[in-house]
Amino acid sequence: MQVKGVSMTDFTTNIDMNVRMMNEKLRVDRNFDILQRDVLIGGKRTHFYFIDGFVQEETIEKLVQFFYSLKESDIKDIDTFLEVGMPYTEIEKNGHYDEVEKAFLSGQTVMIIDGFDECILIDCRTYPMRSVTEPYKDKVLRGSRDGFVETLVCNAALLRRRIRDSRFSMEMYTVGERSRTDVAVCYIDDKVDKKLLERIENLISSIEVEALTMNIESLAECMFKGKWINPFPKYKYSERPDTAAAALFDGNIVIMVDTSPAVMIIPTNVFDIIEEADDYYFSPLTGTYLRLARAFITIISILLTPLYLLYAVQPELLPNWLIFTKVSDELNI
């Protein structure tokens, strides 16, 4: 049954219709980890939905315990309830099912109260997460020992701890029709190239895929199509928050993807690829020497190997002063 003037994707004041819509669309009977509870608060039926493993049970228990002490006058309407009867900061009201479904599948708790045409989203979620330890790939002799993890909120906190600037921004996007993966674009407003930022934002907004199967690598493949004519790198990966913070201070853009322990740094060049985190912790003279030595060795390894192979196949191309490097089949004893 559809109420006149109300979309089937909107909540109504009838709690039975709202609960039925949630149960059908979320397939509650076929998901063991989707939990629900029906309680009586201030004389009104209230229904809770949350995902097991994504919710802080202690917080929910304290909230429900507080709700039992509310009177009917405290929940006469949703605004009064949020002002008087909700002792929690991270809350939001929403009456559109699509937005509520996305928030719920992201881990937020949904609270439906009889008589309200909007539900309440309580953000008391927590994600399974490993400890913030030094990345195995980017170990340093000196410097911080923390690294990015697979949780986007924790990675954002690691950057915010290092950049206490009001001009530092982290804009959130959603990519993937089915996965709905969270993607954050980080930059410092007065340092970033605005044209590059606009181009990156347009690229992310225009991505049409079902899911980012391999998180940040899938995002990179969607954003930057491979071109054989330009083999040089367009982005750089890093698992170190200090490296990402240094890149932001240089005016670069950092892209974080939920479930990925690495971030993408844009733009980049060949010399950024051969750079290491240890370079920042040495004196300018020592750091510059290490970078130059690494660049020189890289160029030599790129040029010397094919030249040696060429001269081994066609020794007549060798100049006289390099004739001693000629490969001979005869063994002189």
Side-chain angles (χ1 to χ4, degrees), residues 224 230-236 265 267-274:
F224 306 104
N230 182 14
F232 296 102
K234 303 177 180 64
Y235 50 85
K236 173 186 175 182
I265 300 175
T268 189
N269 52 49
V270 176
F271 298 102
D272 291 332
I273 298 299
I274 63 177

Side-chain angles (χ1 to χ4, degrees), residues 236 242-243 246-247 250 275-283 287 291:
K236 173 186 175 182
D242 51 357
T243 301
D250 289 338
E275 191 176 57
E276 292 186 357
D278 270 324
D279 297 341
Y280 291 98
Y281 293 99
F282 289 111
S283 63
R291 292 190 184 110

Side-chain angles (χ1 to χ4, degrees), residues 30 49 57 91 99 186 233 281 284 289 302-303 309 322 331:
R30 299 197 176 190
Y49 286 91
E57 298 180 0
I91 57 173
E99 298 176 5
C186 311
Y281 293 99
Y289 165 75
I302 292 175
L303 298 178
L309 180 62
L322 287 178
L331 182 62

Side-chain angles (χ1 to χ4, degrees), residues 48-118:
F48 287 92
Y49 286 91
F50 42 82
I51 298 178
D52 190 17
F54 281 1
V55 66
Q56 298 178 10
E57 298 180 0
E58 299 82 3
T59 303
I60 291 297
E61 290 177 0
K62 291 180 180 178
L63 284 176
V64 173
Q65 185 178 5
F66 175 81
F67 292 154
Y68 283 145
S69 63
L70 297 178
K71 300 177 182 178
E72 186 175 354
S73 58
D74 296 331
I75 53 175
K76 59 182 180 181
D77 57 66
I78 191 169
D79 293 324
T80 303
F81 174 73
L82 293 179
E83 181 179 355
V84 179
M86 177 58 74
Y88 200 73
T89 55
E90 298 185 53
I91 57 173
E92 178 187 359
K93 61 179 181 178
N94 200 311
H96 302 289
Y97 174 78
D98 292 338
E99 298 176 5
V100 171
E101 179 189 32
K102 176 186 173 183
F104 172 73
L105 294 176
S106 298
Q108 298 189 41
T109 299
V110 177
M111 182 180 181
I112 304 175
I113 303 178
D114 190 16
F116 296 168
D117 59 355
E118 293 178 296

